[in-house]
Amino acid sequence: MASDGERPTIFLSYAHGDQAQAQRLAAALERCGFTVWWDALIEGGTRYAKSIDTALAAADAVVVLWSQQSVESDWVKDEAAQGRERHRLVPLSLDGTLPPLGFRQLQVIDLSGWRGRADAPQFDAIRRAVATASGQAPVERQRIAGPRVSRRQALAGGAGVAAIVAGGGGLIAWQKGWLGGEGAERSIAVLPFKNVGGNPAQAYLSEGLTEEVRAALSRNARLQVLAATSSDTARDDSGGATAIAAKLGVAYLLSGSVQRSGDRVRVAMDLTDGKTGFSKWSQQIDQHLTDIFAFQTAIARTVSNALSVKMATDEPAPGGTRNVAAYEAYLRGKALYNLSKDVATDREAQALYENAIAGDSKFALAHAALSRVLSSIASVDAPANEIKSTFAAAIAEGRAAVDLAPKLAEAQVALGYALFAGHLDIKGSRAAYDLAYRYGNGNADILLLYALYTVRARRFATARSAIERAVALDPLNPRAHRAAGSIGFATRDYAGAVEHFNRALELNPDLSNAHAMLGYCLIQLGQFDAARAALAKEPMPMMRLTGQSILEHRAGKPAEAQRAFASLVKDVGDTALYQQAEVMAQWGRADDAMALLERARGVGDAGLTAITSDPFLDPLARDRRFRLFVRQMRFA
């Protein structure tokens, strides 16, 4: 951090087309006593050039100029992401453009009316924000400093680091909140499309179309699309449109119905203003199933136009098919997988996805879905001797999906998870996860999975930011709150995690793992009676017995602890090697813990993905063998 008397250094990030405005701002900042590190050729060169990383690491603040051009610049978004993760980000908007999703939690200073005057209110706000980021009092105007410092000079001389703009690690919400202020005018819930005709066997079609239309809308960075679980709570709501919109906290509702006749479907849609209850737009379209993916994009474009929100692209969502039988098999498999019921339904979903791929080998969404279900089976249900082969199949399907549709977020996240859990390689899977976030950061499910990955990578600020957005987009989804609680546990925010787990269980009292994770947090808080009650309600033996083994040891009841551990070993066996290692670490038996971790690595136990963020392994943190184990797995 720049000390008193030193000139704070600003890294200025902008798109090449905004060079003139960037130059004007840089000159004004330098006249006020800041050192500005910038370059008119910032768009050129190697994307992750060492010089850029060095400059970002040296800057006291990272000032990003958002505009219609820069929100499309990968370079600017990369630099902004580094500034955000280091808590150095000071965002400005040159023309009133919203930052892209992922950068809307910080207050943005609007420069659209600034004409270059250093005494303007907008510029005064910039000076205060940068000074705060630099940990100094606001710089007085009379402290006019010397000549502009070039990138080369700045690299040679170096500079300090910055303090967080929002202070105390907190985030200032965009304008009036995620669904407040201007953003609320562009928030929408896609209600479950009705299955006209009432044939339960056709329900998968209306449900699948609802989900695909929602996904197409979420590709528009200027729309805030409520995710499936929260939107679906209105399925049986008898209230009117205004009541439903108020309940869901959105400005607009998109409702519809689906009727099938052979290979054609008729979809009737209505866009309703949630404030007035009046229809803003309605349309009925007959479409052949072979054109369904282009049709979904057409719906998204029409809705966006009705809300005066420009689509980033008119291209159909990637990864689809024109094979009707393949598409139907995919939708049926998806309906089963979404049940998250048991291994039997997962196996049925696997078979349906395989049928879809047999019908169209280039159906990327089906390959991605098959990869996801195989990873789920390998993580939870596969025998120890089948874990590696099942993950290998999941990786192969993920790669096939990515090869077919590189911009399909579902493909990238499926490959990322299969690589992470299957190869236990946190670094090797980062590229896929980051691409999934890049192409799907308006999708709550993608955000959730990205958050769970980044917390394992100890990118805690990024994980918290992503899960906050996921919860905001899907506030009534118990899985989102369970994930937020898991991230709280990993970041040692046990009290905050308890709130999320309680909320998850309010929404779904039977949610797997939630009772156990709540119990884990209560153990860490020393609330043993409450932890005991929570663990007793957990239906998953592996999670319940692990918690009870640790709890009773902490509570000074060795016989009960030993009894729970014996059941964990006998009843769950080698599928819980990682959990057994957690217990041994908590019991202070480091040698046994390390032996179990080695065995877990041998069978490819996916529990090892939590190894660098797991509080239950903290007793091993200073053990040389444990640190070597982590390095060998490329986790650090």
Side-chain angles (χ1 to χ4, degrees):
M1 180 181 297
S3 60
D4 291 341
E6 294 181 349
R7 292 160 52 90
T9 297
I10 297 171
F11 182 101
L12 189 61
S13 177
Y14 64 98
H16 182 69
D18 299 324
Q19 179 182 339
Q21 292 162 289
Q23 184 173 4
R24 180 173 63 179
L25 177 62
L29 288 168
E30 288 165 352
R31 286 195 298 270
C32 286
F34 296 104
T35 295
V36 181
W37 200 90
W38 76 299
D39 191 340
L41 300 178
I42 193 169
E43 289 288 333
T46 305
R47 183 178 180 188
Y48 292 110
K50 183 178 180 180
S51 60
I52 299 296
D53 289 338
T54 303
L56 283 169
D60 289 290
V62 178
V63 173
V64 176
L65 307 185
W66 294 119
S67 69
Q68 289 185 354
Q69 298 183 79
S70 66
V71 295
E72 301 297 330
S73 168
D74 292 338
W75 187 281
V76 174
K77 284 187 281 190
D78 286 338
E79 292 174 338
Q82 292 192 50
R84 179 191 60 199
E85 292 188 17
R86 294 182 55 236
H87 304 303
R88 313 311 191 227
L89 187 60
V90 178
L92 316 180
S93 178
L94 292 176
D95 53 13
T97 297
L98 295 177
L101 285 177
F103 300 97
R104 297 183 181 180
Q105 290 77 23
L106 296 177
Q107 183 67 45
V108 178
I109 299 171
D110 187 356
L111 286 188
S112 57
W114 184 59
R115 298 295 179 263
R117 293 177 58 90
D119 57 354
Q122 302 98 318
F123 191 74
D124 188 54
I126 296 171
R127 292 169 58 241
R128 291 197 307 270
V130 172
T132 301
S134 304
Q136 296 190 343
V139 180
E140 299 298 328
R141 287 188 61 205
Q142 63 266 26
R143 290 180 61 191
I144 298 176
R148 175 180 301 145
V149 178
S150 70
R151 285 182 177 264
R152 180 176 298 176
Q153 290 169 321
L155 283 171
V161 297
I164 183 169
V165 174
L171 295 175
I172 301 174
W174 163 253
Q175 300 295 359
K176 296 182 181 178
W178 182 261
L179 293 180
E182 181 183 350
E185 300 305 315
R186 293 168 178 167
S187 58
I188 184 170
V190 181
L191 305 183
F193 287 7
K194 295 179 181 179
N195 175 27
V196 176
N199 182 357
Q202 293 294 318
Y204 73 89
L205 181 59
S206 57
E207 292 172 359
L209 283 175
T210 304
E211 198 166 337
E212 298 303 329
V213 168
R214 189 181 288 124
L217 281 169
S218 70
R219 296 173 65 213
N220 190 338
R222 290 178 172 270
L223 282 177
Q224 294 167 355
V225 184
L226 200 67
T229 305
S230 296
S231 298
D232 289 354
T233 60
R235 184 190 305 270
D236 302 316
D237 200 310
S238 58
T242 55
I244 294 173
K247 174 184 176 181
L248 299 179
V250 295
Y252 294 94
L253 303 173
L254 180 67
S255 57
S257 63
V258 180
Q259 185 174 16
R260 178 173 181 175
S261 177
D263 288 342
R264 296 192 67 82
V265 293
R266 172 171 294 174
V267 181
M269 292 161 293
D270 187 83
L271 180 66
T272 304
D273 187 321
K275 291 182 181 179
T276 67
F278 292 118
S279 175
K280 188 176 180 69
W281 162 83
S282 62
Q283 189 168 348
Q284 180 172 293
I285 304 175
D286 290 331
Q287 195 78 20
H288 196 276
L289 275 173
T290 57
D291 300 321
I292 207 69
F293 286 93
F295 169 53
Q296 292 151 10
T297 300
I299 294 174
R301 182 172 60 252
T302 305
V303 172
S304 298
N305 290 340
L307 297 179
S308 300
V309 179
K310 183 180 179 181
M311 287 281 286
T313 176
D314 284 338
E315 296 178 2
T321 182
R322 294 179 62 85
N323 183 301
V324 175
Y327 185 57
E328 286 192 276
Y330 164 74
L331 289 180
R332 291 179 185 275
K334 194 171 187 178
L336 285 169
Y337 180 68
N338 287 343
L339 289 176
S340 297
K341 185 179 178 182
D342 51 33
V343 66
T345 54
D346 280 353
R347 292 290 188 184
E348 289 180 57
Q350 175 188 347
L352 285 163
Y353 291 146
E354 289 170 347
N355 288 342
I357 293 168
D360 182 356
S361 62
K362 296 183 179 180
F363 190 3
L365 272 169
H367 284 285
L370 180 55
S371 176
R372 284 282 299 276
V373 75
L374 287 170
S375 290
S376 296
I377 292 170
S379 298
V380 179
D381 299 307
N385 62 348
E386 296 180 11
I387 291 175
K388 288 187 175 181
S389 60
T390 307
F391 268 126
I395 292 169
E397 294 299 334
R399 291 195 190 282
V402 167
D403 288 344
L404 289 165
K407 293 185 178 181
L408 179 64
E410 290 85 348
Q412 295 289 354
V413 82
L415 176 60
Y417 181 73
L419 288 170
F420 183 23
H423 283 177
L424 300 173
D425 182 359
I426 200 165
K427 291 183 178 180
S429 54
R430 175 167 181 167
Y433 270 105
D434 285 350
L435 286 170
Y437 175 84
R438 175 178 173 184
Y439 297 127
N441 57 26
N443 183 316
D445 189 49
I446 297 296
L447 286 168
L448 187 156
L449 295 170
Y450 182 72
L452 290 173
Y453 164 75
T454 51
V455 79
R456 301 307 187 206
R458 298 188 64 82
R459 294 160 58 188
F460 293 150
T462 300
R464 284 190 291 264
S465 176
I467 198 60
E468 284 169 4
R469 295 196 300 282
V471 170
L473 287 172
D474 209 359
L476 302 181
N477 185 348
R479 293 188 303 108
H481 288 281
R482 182 180 61 186
S486 297
I487 289 169
F489 179 70
T491 57
R492 281 63 173 173
D493 177 17
Y494 304 120
V498 165
E499 293 182 10
H500 278 293
F501 286 127
N502 281 331
R503 179 57 175 152
L505 290 166
E506 286 176 12
L507 294 167
N508 180 3
D510 299 322
L511 186 65
S512 64
N513 296 340
H515 286 291
M517 292 300 299
L518 173 61
Y520 293 0
C521 292
L522 293 169
I523 291 172
Q524 297 297 85
L525 291 170
Q527 299 177 26
F528 295 158
D529 289 341
R532 193 172 287 112
L535 290 166
K537 297 177 182 178
E538 175 56 50
M540 293 281 290
M542 179 170 65
M543 301 289 288
R544 182 182 67 251
L545 293 168
T546 299
Q548 289 171 339
S549 301
I550 294 169
L551 167 64
E552 301 306 347
H553 177 80
R554 292 260 195 108
K557 297 182 177 181
E560 287 86 342
Q562 187 60 53
R563 188 158 42 248
F565 184 72
S567 295
L568 179 64
V569 173
K570 178 182 177 182
D571 299 339
V572 186
D574 283 356
T575 58
L577 291 171
Y578 177 81
Q579 286 72 24
Q580 293 171 36
E582 288 180 302
V583 175
M584 291 295 99
Q586 286 292 304
W587 286 12
R589 291 165 55 175
D591 292 346
D592 291 331
M594 290 307 306
L596 285 162
L597 289 175
E598 290 289 357
R599 288 179 60 195
R601 177 165 58 178
V603 301
D605 191 328
L608 289 166
T609 57
I611 193 169
T612 60
S613 59
D614 186 350
F616 284 163
L617 294 184
D618 283 351
L620 301 177
R622 296 181 181 276
D623 191 307
R624 179 186 58 80
R625 296 169 299 174
F626 180 75
R627 295 198 299 271
L628 177 61
F629 184 91
V630 171
R631 285 197 299 272
Q632 289 173 341
M633 294 179 61
R634 297 182 63 198
F635 270 54

